[in-house]
Amino acid sequence: MPNIKKLNKKLSRIFNGKVCAMLHGGVLYLTGELDNWNDIVKAGKMSVSPKEYSVVNDIHFTGENIPSMRKPAIASNSLEGESPDVLIIGGGVTGCAIARELMRYKLDVLLVEKEHDVALHASGRNGGIVLPEFIISDGELKKKYNDIGSQIYPSVCEELDVPYKRTGQYICFTCNLMKPVALAFIAQCKLQGIAVEYINRKKLLKKEPYLSRNIKYALFFPTAGVVYPYGLTAAYAENASDNGAKISLDTVVLDIEVWKGCIMNVLTNRGRIYPKMVINAAGAFAEDIARLAQDRFFSLHTSRSTNMIFDKNSSCLVKSIVSPYETMRMNSGGVLCTDEGNLLTGYDSIETYKKEDFSTDTNSIITLLAKQQKLVPSLSKQDIIASFAGISAATYEGDFIVSFGKFTENIIHAAGLETPGLTAAPAIAKEISAMAAAYLEADINEEFNPLRRMVINNESFSGISGSDTVPGAAVPDYTPLSL
């Protein structure tokens, strides 16, 4: 049994009696009030005991007003009375991938996205690193879906006609004292059949001559790669639509009616929808959807990460993904060359309660640049042409949530999909679609076509409604930088 009394004593001591915990139904609820957001996150993390309960953090933040979710101004009845088999909430890479995989079954699928296009939040605001298989991660589900996703990425991108470069990734070490750790890590990888190679400094500098001479050695993971995440998400949406899925943009969920532990209908700004099943892939707002569905057994905390894009003159500086050694965890930070030929560096991670604040600031850029110059000294602020930020959402337990509801029957959550969420998306989509199909007793769709060819013009395609924008026509806003 968890010792909640002991935890409350600890919380009271650290936060001056302003926070307390209560266990109910396998969920630990934190209540109280604090004026420092980082303290609220700290309280959530220190209360975690994943084998005994999940954490819902209801500590009230008194420091500032938390911004409300931005909603489209549109109001209509275009979806009134729709009764799909599956309603997917969220048009990020995971939501769109689920929509596509569900079309392998004979199901009526509707995806709603509150923005005017897909991938305008986390899915379009990251470096596009497809991580290799790894033996150590923050959670069991992260490892499971990361490893499967890493394996199937080449075939998925081939089917969807999305550029994918398997560049490999170097994890770089500047301290010889860490060599025993690195060698032990290699041994563990080989026991699990994970491809990794020890690279000494001479060989490393021959392959990547612009790296710092302070790097002593590196571990090379050949299966890591780079994809354009916005393009991948749009391709998933297009293929889902071509196979019969409906996608409604500028469509926000306002309320969910639940009766006897089952979702009856979902109210949107375009009318009330009556789905048999709901899939929650709402990213940073997944906890809000869970609350509306009376199935809030988890909490998320969000962080903002900054990335920089360099002029193509800098593209020669790096051929593979180059990352600093920090901990033996999954790492998507570092320096890489995108499929467009620009150098991209990232990222930092700053806790924030502003889920839609994609601003960047000069101090963050300068700090991040100095960090990456330790890897590639020739990086220059004069070559930075733009910056962008993304928001990622994590559970306090540090692992993904891919499961049916705890208190509500006909909902599946795909939540807390921080790094390696992009790598894991294809695997998560396959599993969730199979879960939904089994629940709905759906038959296989023999007419499903997994192939999509890149559209090189802006001709619209069937199934997308609610906006004049089609996937591929818009991209997340990048901020031109003046240092």
Side-chain angles (χ1 to χ4, degrees):
M1 287 290 293
N3 194 333
I4 305 303
K5 185 176 180 180
K6 183 177 179 180
L7 173 61
N8 271 314
K9 285 184 177 180
K10 184 177 180 181
L11 290 169
S12 181
R13 183 179 71 253
I14 294 175
F15 302 109
N16 299 315
K18 295 180 179 180
V19 175
C20 65
M22 179 183 68
L23 187 63
H24 178 71
V27 179
L28 185 82
Y29 296 90
L30 294 176
T31 58
E33 60 179 38
L34 294 170
D35 60 6
N36 185 299
W37 181 255
N38 287 329
D39 283 345
I40 292 176
V41 175
K42 179 180 177 180
K45 288 183 176 181
M46 64 180 282
S47 301
V48 166
S49 182
K51 293 184 178 180
E52 296 179 314
Y53 51 75
S54 57
V55 172
V56 168
N57 194 337
D58 277 333
I59 301 173
H60 178 60
F61 177 49
T62 61
E64 289 185 43
N65 291 326
I66 297 179
S68 300
M69 180 181 70
R70 296 200 299 261
K71 300 175 183 177
I74 297 170
S76 75
N77 290 318
S78 60
L79 295 178
E80 181 64 38
E82 289 282 330
S83 54
D85 295 316
V86 182
L87 173 65
I88 303 168
I89 302 172
V93 64
T94 302
C96 291
I98 292 169
R100 186 248 192 175
E101 293 301 321
L102 281 172
M103 300 319 298
R104 296 180 185 273
Y105 304 91
K106 293 180 179 180
L107 291 169
D108 182 8
V109 175
L110 170 62
L111 182 149
V112 296
E113 163 57 46
K114 80 180 186 73
E115 302 294 347
H116 64 274
D117 201 357
V118 298
L120 293 189
H121 282 234
S123 296
R125 295 174 172 278
N126 62 82
I129 296 177
V130 178
L131 290 166
E133 296 174 71
F134 236 75
I135 65 167
I136 297 176
S137 70
D138 292 328
E140 293 180 4
L141 293 184
K142 279 186 176 181
K143 174 171 172 52
K144 172 186 173 181
Y145 294 118
N146 175 85
D147 290 359
I148 297 172
S150 181
Q151 293 168 10
I152 66 177
Y153 241 92
S155 60
V156 167
C157 289
E158 183 177 0
E159 288 179 346
L160 297 177
D161 197 19
V162 174
Y164 172 65
K165 297 191 300 182
R166 183 160 268 186
T167 60
Q169 180 179 17
Y170 292 98
I171 305 295
C172 300
F173 293 75
T174 57
C175 177
N176 279 320
L177 295 176
M178 293 301 299
K179 187 175 289 188
V181 175
L183 295 177
F185 185 78
I186 291 174
Q188 288 180 282
C189 285
K190 290 184 176 179
L191 285 175
Q192 296 189 24
I194 297 172
V196 61
E197 181 183 358
Y198 175 85
I199 306 290
N200 62 34
R201 180 166 63 178
K202 182 178 179 180
K203 187 175 181 180
L204 176 64
L205 293 178
K206 186 175 181 181
K207 291 179 177 291
E208 296 283 358
Y210 292 98
L211 296 189
S212 169
R213 266 53 181 174
N214 292 326
I215 297 173
K216 308 297 184 184
Y217 51 92
L219 301 185
F220 180 64
F221 295 85
T223 59
V226 177
V227 71
Y228 177 34
Y230 178 85
L232 174 65
T233 307
Y236 265 126
E238 289 179 10
N239 191 239
S241 177
D242 287 343
N243 280 285
K246 299 176 183 178
I247 300 176
S248 182
L249 305 174
D250 288 316
T251 306
V252 64
V253 171
L254 302 174
D255 197 10
I256 298 176
E257 183 180 346
V258 180
W259 187 67
K260 292 186 177 181
C262 189
I263 293 172
M264 305 304 293
N265 59 72
V266 176
L267 179 64
T268 75
N269 60 317
R270 295 181 181 275
R272 199 174 292 273
I273 304 168
Y274 298 81
K276 295 177 182 176
M277 164 162 282
V278 171
I279 294 177
N280 175 13
F285 294 99
E287 182 179 0
D288 302 75
I289 296 300
R291 181 189 290 108
L292 292 177
Q294 299 179 24
D295 196 50
R296 187 165 165 256
F297 62 90
F298 60 90
S299 276
L300 303 177
H301 60 100
T302 50
S303 59
R304 185 175 70 248
S305 300
T306 300
N307 295 265
M308 299 175 291
I309 302 174
F310 289 73
D311 185 272
K312 289 185 179 181
N313 292 331
S314 301
S315 62
C316 63
L317 297 180
V318 166
K319 302 183 186 71
S320 302
I321 305 163
V322 181
S323 302
Y325 167 79
E326 291 175 350
T327 61
M328 282 299 185
R329 293 180 176 180
M330 292 175 174
N331 186 335
S332 64
V335 185
L336 62 100
C337 189
T338 70
D339 66 302
E340 295 292 327
N342 292 91
L343 212 64
L344 184 148
T345 70
Y347 61 95
D348 56 356
S349 183
I350 301 171
E351 293 287 345
T352 180
Y353 52 88
K354 299 177 180 179
K355 297 181 180 181
E356 296 176 288
D357 179 9
F358 303 121
S359 62
T360 59
D361 65 85
T362 301
N363 288 336
S364 293
I365 296 296
I366 292 174
T367 300
L368 184 58
L369 177 63
K371 175 182 176 181
Q372 303 301 1
Q373 283 175 329
K374 294 178 181 178
L375 286 174
V376 186
S378 300
L379 289 175
S380 171
K381 66 180 181 181
Q382 282 76 25
D383 292 329
I384 301 173
I385 58 174
S387 64
F388 65 96
I391 302 291
S392 62
T395 63
Y396 284 98
E397 292 78 13
D399 204 359
F400 294 163
I401 293 174
V402 180
S403 72
F404 280 98
K406 186 178 181 70
F407 308 113
T408 302
E409 178 185 343
N410 57 337
I411 187 170
I412 298 175
H413 300 283
L417 306 182
E418 59 166 350
T419 302
L422 177 64
T423 308
I428 291 173
K430 287 181 178 295
E431 178 136 329
I432 286 182
S433 63
M435 292 164 62
Y439 177 86
L440 297 168
E441 299 181 347
D443 294 327
I444 297 295
N445 177 14
E446 301 292 347
E447 297 181 359
F448 173 77
N449 178 13
L451 302 180
R452 168 262 186 192
R453 289 295 168 255
M454 185 182 296
V455 179
I456 58 175
N457 56 35
N458 285 337
E459 293 180 4
S460 62
F461 55 94
S462 61
I464 302 290
S465 65
S467 174
D468 293 331
T469 305
V470 298
V475 294
D477 54 305
Y478 296 148
T479 305
L481 198 67
S482 177
L483 292 177

